Amino acid sequence: MEIINSPAQIQQYALRVKRQGKKVGLVPTMGYLHKGHLTLIKEAKTKCDVVIASIFVNPIQFGQGEDYEEYPRDLTRDADLAKGAGVDVIFAPRVSEMYPKGYQTFIQIESLTERLCGASRPGHFRGVATVVAKLFNIAQPDFAFFGQKDAQQVIIIERMVEDLNMPLKIVRVPIVREDDGLAMSSRNVYLNAEERRQALVLFDSLKAAKSLVAQGERDAARVKEKLIEIISKAPLAEIDYVEIVDGKTVQPVKKLSGEVLIALAVRFGKTRLIDNIILEV
Ligand code: PAF
């Protein structure tokens, strides 16, 4: 497995293998790989001849006061894990190669970014969409793989691909959880033991919401009440948002019907965790 830093070099590599008729898969990551990422890679292996994993902590998707500096980084460990999972090439560019002096081009997706993480992290999705568009141009993938954990992110990327006629297919991969239900995240390493224990209320609340809906509840306000009640059982939990939105438009719903996304962001100490569930009602 090779590690390539240069965008031009990885682009040449991708164009070359595509000319040989091979399908290229891209797994974009910010590194510090966990089982969630490895599942994306495995999925990519089933659909593609060549799998490129990008590792880049993208500065422009972090706001002021967020964890850009502290975000865990360990390329040696990531390279071992990626190799074990069958990645062919890691693309690990430097910030100065992705955003050289004079860089000016950004992608803004409109109403899909108004709520949830878009509301609590202004500019975040502009940074995500921009880097992902660049990664698509650089790595030339036929398929790109994204985790359902960042539910709003994958909705936005699908929109961007459609709106900008990008010639690739986005594959959504279900959330991978620890045995006790906590959604895998590189940020879980920030949690101390007590925060980690209390963070289980997130999945508990989503499961409770799901069973409420299974019992026939269709009133979004009542489902939201239930979610908040369960999360509030954890004294360290500080709710950023708990929202019930349409799974396609990301606009709030009053009555649950069709594809519904229940999404939450909750802080435990300095760590902000997100989780979600999609229901077909
Ligand atoms: O989900 C992530 O890790 C990042 O937002 C992504 C898609 C790699 C863009 O930096």
Side-chain angles (χ1 to χ4, degrees):
M1 188 194 66
E2 257 189 292
I3 302 181
I4 295 179
N5 304 117
S6 145
Q9 210 181 323
I10 200 101
Q11 194 178 51
Q12 281 160 17
Y13 166 81
L15 290 170
R16 189 170 66 244
V17 297
K18 279 166 69 118
R19 273 198 300 271
Q20 296 163 357
K22 294 183 178 157
K23 295 278 177 227
V24 173
L26 174 68
V27 179
T29 83
M30 297 206 299
Y32 216 70
L33 304 182
H34 52 65
K35 272 195 216 144
H37 298 114
L38 301 181
T39 306
L40 297 177
I41 294 167
K42 278 194 198 112
E43 185 63 25
K45 297 282 294 172
T46 68
K47 288 201 160 59
C48 307
D49 304 300
V50 167
V51 175
I52 301 173
S54 63
I55 295 184
F56 179 62
V57 185
N58 173 36
I60 68 164
Q61 71 185 70
F62 289 79
Q64 284 226 324
E66 290 188 356
D67 58 342
Y68 175 66
E69 300 296 337
E70 300 98 280
Y71 199 85
R73 293 162 170 88
D74 189 341
L75 188 56
T76 314
R77 174 183 171 276
D78 286 344
D80 276 352
L81 289 168
K83 191 174 173 193
V87 166
D88 295 285
V89 185
I90 288 182
F91 172 51
R94 279 178 279 275
V95 173
S96 60
E97 287 166 304
M98 290 296 273
Y99 304 112
K101 201 163 174 285
Y103 188 89
Q104 312 217 357
T105 307
F106 298 89
I107 292 187
Q108 178 72 44
I109 289 141
E110 305 283 316
S111 68
L112 292 177
T113 62
E114 278 166 6
R115 306 193 69 89
L116 313 183
C117 291
S120 35
R121 303 183 66 188
H124 170 66
F125 287 120
R126 176 181 186 259
V128 169
T130 301
V131 80
V132 169
K134 283 174 69 69
L135 291 168
F136 289 171
N137 281 331
I138 292 166
Q140 300 282 314
D142 298 286
F143 296 90
F145 299 80
F146 291 86
Q148 186 59 46
K149 192 185 137 244
D150 297 292
Q152 191 178 13
Q153 170 170 281
V154 72
I155 293 169
I156 285 164
I157 307 257
E158 284 169 350
R159 186 79 249 163
M160 174 180 80
V161 164
E162 194 173 329
D163 287 355
L164 296 181
N165 309 87
M166 293 175 165
L168 77 155
K169 193 170 170 354
I170 300 302
V171 182
R172 292 185 183 206
V173 180
I175 297 180
V176 180
R177 298 182 180 279
E178 303 281 0
D179 289 342
D180 61 8
L182 183 68
M184 300 253 176
S185 164
S186 305
R187 291 189 167 98
N188 290 350
V189 296
Y190 299 150
L191 299 167
N192 67 31
E194 185 53 25
E195 290 163 351
R196 170 71 183 74
R197 201 183 61 74
Q198 294 194 20
L200 296 179
V201 292
L202 302 189
F203 190 44
D204 288 346
S205 71
L206 293 171
K207 281 188 298 192
K210 185 179 176 180
S211 67
L212 209 58
V213 177
Q215 286 157 32
E217 184 60 78
R218 296 291 177 267
D219 185 87
R222 277 207 285 273
V223 177
K224 194 164 160 175
E225 242 169 59
K226 185 74 183 169
L227 288 152
I228 293 173
E229 179 197 312
I230 294 180
I231 296 167
S232 306
K233 284 185 182 151
L236 296 174
E238 221 182 285
I239 294 176
D240 176 354
Y241 65 74
V242 171
E243 289 223 53
I244 303 181
V245 298
D246 180 277
K248 296 218 159 49
T249 64
V250 197
Q251 293 301 315
V253 295
K254 283 200 166 71
K255 288 270 166 261
L256 279 72
S257 88
E259 187 185 321
V260 172
L261 168 65
I262 304 182
L264 39 93
V266 177
R267 267 176 229 286
F268 292 86
K270 68 178 172 68
T271 310
R272 180 176 175 279
L273 300 179
I274 58 173
D275 203 345
N276 69 81
I277 196 169
I278 290 190
L279 301 178
E280 277 299 335
V281 184

Short mmCIF file of all heavy atoms in Angstrom, two decimals, residues 28-30 37 54 56 58 61 71 124 127-128 131-132 135 146 150 153 157, ligand 1:
data_model
loop_
_atom_site.label_atom_id
_atom_site.label_comp_id
_atom_site.label_asym_id
_atom_site.label_seq_id
_atom_site.Cartn_x
_atom_site.Cartn_y
_atom_site.Cartn_z
N PRO A 28 -13.46 8.91 1.88
CA PRO A 28 -12.88 10.13 2.44
C PRO A 28 -12.94 10.08 3.98
O PRO A 28 -14.00 9.76 4.54
CB PRO A 28 -13.80 11.25 1.93
CG PRO A 28 -14.74 10.61 0.96
CD PRO A 28 -14.80 9.16 1.32
N THR A 29 -11.82 10.35 4.63
CA THR A 29 -11.82 10.33 6.10
C THR A 29 -10.95 11.48 6.61
O THR A 29 -10.17 12.06 5.85
CB THR A 29 -11.23 9.01 6.68
OG1 THR A 29 -9.79 9.12 6.71
CG2 THR A 29 -11.63 7.79 5.89
N MET A 30 -11.08 11.72 7.91
CA MET A 30 -10.16 12.65 8.56
C MET A 30 -9.16 11.86 9.40
O MET A 30 -8.52 12.42 10.30
CB MET A 30 -10.94 13.67 9.40
CG MET A 30 -11.86 14.53 8.54
SD MET A 30 -12.22 16.14 9.23
CE MET A 30 -13.04 15.68 10.75
N HIS A 37 -14.90 3.38 9.86
CA HIS A 37 -14.16 3.61 8.61
C HIS A 37 -13.83 2.28 7.93
O HIS A 37 -13.89 2.16 6.71
CB HIS A 37 -12.84 4.32 8.89
CG HIS A 37 -12.97 5.68 9.50
ND1 HIS A 37 -12.55 5.99 10.77
CD2 HIS A 37 -13.49 6.82 8.99
CE1 HIS A 37 -12.78 7.26 11.02
NE2 HIS A 37 -13.36 7.79 9.96
N SER A 54 -8.77 8.66 1.65
CA SER A 54 -8.09 9.93 1.90
C SER A 54 -8.10 10.19 3.40
O SER A 54 -9.06 9.85 4.11
CB SER A 54 -8.76 11.08 1.14
OG SER A 54 -10.08 11.26 1.57
N PHE A 56 -7.39 13.42 5.71
CA PHE A 56 -7.10 14.86 5.68
C PHE A 56 -8.02 15.54 6.70
O PHE A 56 -9.25 15.50 6.56
CB PHE A 56 -7.37 15.41 4.27
CG PHE A 56 -7.12 16.88 4.14
CD1 PHE A 56 -5.84 17.41 4.35
CD2 PHE A 56 -8.15 17.75 3.80
CE1 PHE A 56 -5.61 18.77 4.23
CE2 PHE A 56 -7.92 19.12 3.68
CZ PHE A 56 -6.64 19.63 3.89
N ASN A 58 -9.58 18.47 7.56
CA ASN A 58 -9.88 19.60 6.69
C ASN A 58 -10.12 20.88 7.50
O ASN A 58 -11.19 21.03 8.09
CB ASN A 58 -11.12 19.22 5.87
CG ASN A 58 -11.65 20.36 5.02
OD1 ASN A 58 -10.87 21.15 4.50
ND2 ASN A 58 -12.97 20.43 4.89
N GLN A 61 -13.57 23.05 7.55
CA GLN A 61 -14.88 22.62 8.06
C GLN A 61 -14.96 22.74 9.58
O GLN A 61 -15.95 22.33 10.19
CB GLN A 61 -15.20 21.20 7.60
CG GLN A 61 -14.38 20.08 8.24
CD GLN A 61 -14.69 18.72 7.63
OE1 GLN A 61 -14.34 18.43 6.48
NE2 GLN A 61 -15.37 17.87 8.38
N TYR A 71 -7.84 17.55 17.12
CA TYR A 71 -8.39 16.37 16.43
C TYR A 71 -7.30 15.30 16.35
O TYR A 71 -6.18 15.57 15.94
CB TYR A 71 -8.89 16.75 15.03
CG TYR A 71 -9.84 15.72 14.50
CD1 TYR A 71 -11.19 15.77 14.82
CD2 TYR A 71 -9.39 14.65 13.73
CE1 TYR A 71 -12.08 14.80 14.36
CE2 TYR A 71 -10.26 13.67 13.28
CZ TYR A 71 -11.61 13.76 13.61
OH TYR A 71 -12.47 12.78 13.18
N HIS A 124 -19.65 24.96 8.46
CA HIS A 124 -19.14 23.58 8.48
C HIS A 124 -19.38 22.88 7.14
O HIS A 124 -18.46 22.32 6.54
CB HIS A 124 -19.80 22.81 9.63
CG HIS A 124 -19.55 21.34 9.60
ND1 HIS A 124 -18.30 20.80 9.78
CD2 HIS A 124 -20.38 20.27 9.40
CE1 HIS A 124 -18.36 19.47 9.70
NE2 HIS A 124 -19.61 19.13 9.46
N GLY A 127 -17.37 23.95 4.18
CA GLY A 127 -16.03 23.35 4.23
C GLY A 127 -16.06 21.89 3.79
O GLY A 127 -15.17 21.43 3.07
N VAL A 128 -17.09 21.16 4.24
CA VAL A 128 -17.20 19.73 3.89
C VAL A 128 -17.43 19.60 2.37
O VAL A 128 -16.73 18.84 1.69
CB VAL A 128 -18.35 19.05 4.66
CG1 VAL A 128 -18.62 17.66 4.10
CG2 VAL A 128 -18.03 18.97 6.16
N VAL A 131 -14.27 20.45 0.33
CA VAL A 131 -13.18 19.47 0.33
C VAL A 131 -13.61 18.19 -0.38
O VAL A 131 -12.81 17.57 -1.10
CB VAL A 131 -12.66 19.18 1.76
CG1 VAL A 131 -13.55 18.21 2.52
CG2 VAL A 131 -11.24 18.64 1.71
N VAL A 132 -14.87 17.81 -0.22
CA VAL A 132 -15.32 16.57 -0.85
C VAL A 132 -15.34 16.75 -2.38
O VAL A 132 -14.91 15.86 -3.12
CB VAL A 132 -16.70 16.13 -0.29
CG1 VAL A 132 -17.30 15.01 -1.12
CG2 VAL A 132 -16.55 15.68 1.17
N LEU A 135 -11.83 16.40 -3.41
CA LEU A 135 -11.39 15.00 -3.35
C LEU A 135 -11.95 14.20 -4.53
O LEU A 135 -11.26 13.34 -5.09
CB LEU A 135 -11.82 14.36 -2.02
CG LEU A 135 -11.09 14.88 -0.78
CD1 LEU A 135 -11.78 14.41 0.50
CD2 LEU A 135 -9.62 14.45 -0.78
N PHE A 146 -19.76 6.94 2.35
CA PHE A 146 -19.95 7.83 3.49
C PHE A 146 -20.79 7.13 4.55
O PHE A 146 -21.73 6.40 4.24
CB PHE A 146 -20.67 9.12 3.07
CG PHE A 146 -19.82 10.00 2.19
CD1 PHE A 146 -19.78 9.80 0.82
CD2 PHE A 146 -19.04 11.00 2.75
CE1 PHE A 146 -18.99 10.59 0.01
CE2 PHE A 146 -18.24 11.81 1.94
CZ PHE A 146 -18.21 11.61 0.57
N ASP A 150 -23.00 10.59 9.92
CA ASP A 150 -23.09 12.01 9.55
C ASP A 150 -24.23 12.14 8.55
O ASP A 150 -24.01 12.33 7.35
CB ASP A 150 -21.76 12.47 8.95
CG ASP A 150 -20.63 12.38 9.96
OD1 ASP A 150 -20.64 13.15 10.92
OD2 ASP A 150 -19.76 11.51 9.79
N GLN A 153 -24.57 15.25 6.44
CA GLN A 153 -23.43 15.32 5.51
C GLN A 153 -23.70 14.51 4.24
O GLN A 153 -23.50 14.98 3.12
CB GLN A 153 -22.17 14.81 6.21
CG GLN A 153 -20.98 14.59 5.29
CD GLN A 153 -19.70 14.33 6.05
OE1 GLN A 153 -19.07 15.25 6.56
NE2 GLN A 153 -19.27 13.08 6.13
N ILE A 157 -24.03 15.79 0.38
CA ILE A 157 -23.11 15.32 -0.68
C ILE A 157 -23.90 14.73 -1.85
O ILE A 157 -23.57 14.96 -3.01
CB ILE A 157 -22.12 14.28 -0.11
CG1 ILE A 157 -21.44 14.84 1.11
CG2 ILE A 157 -21.17 13.74 -1.19
CD1 ILE A 157 -20.11 15.33 1.07
O1 PAF B 1 -16.89 12.74 7.65
C1 PAF B 1 -15.72 13.15 7.61
O2 PAF B 1 -14.80 12.55 8.18
C2 PAF B 1 -15.39 14.45 6.91
O3 PAF B 1 -16.41 15.37 7.06
C3 PAF B 1 -15.03 14.26 5.43
C4 PAF B 1 -16.21 13.71 4.63
C5 PAF B 1 -13.84 13.34 5.29
C6 PAF B 1 -14.66 15.61 4.80
O4 PAF B 1 -13.56 16.19 5.45
#
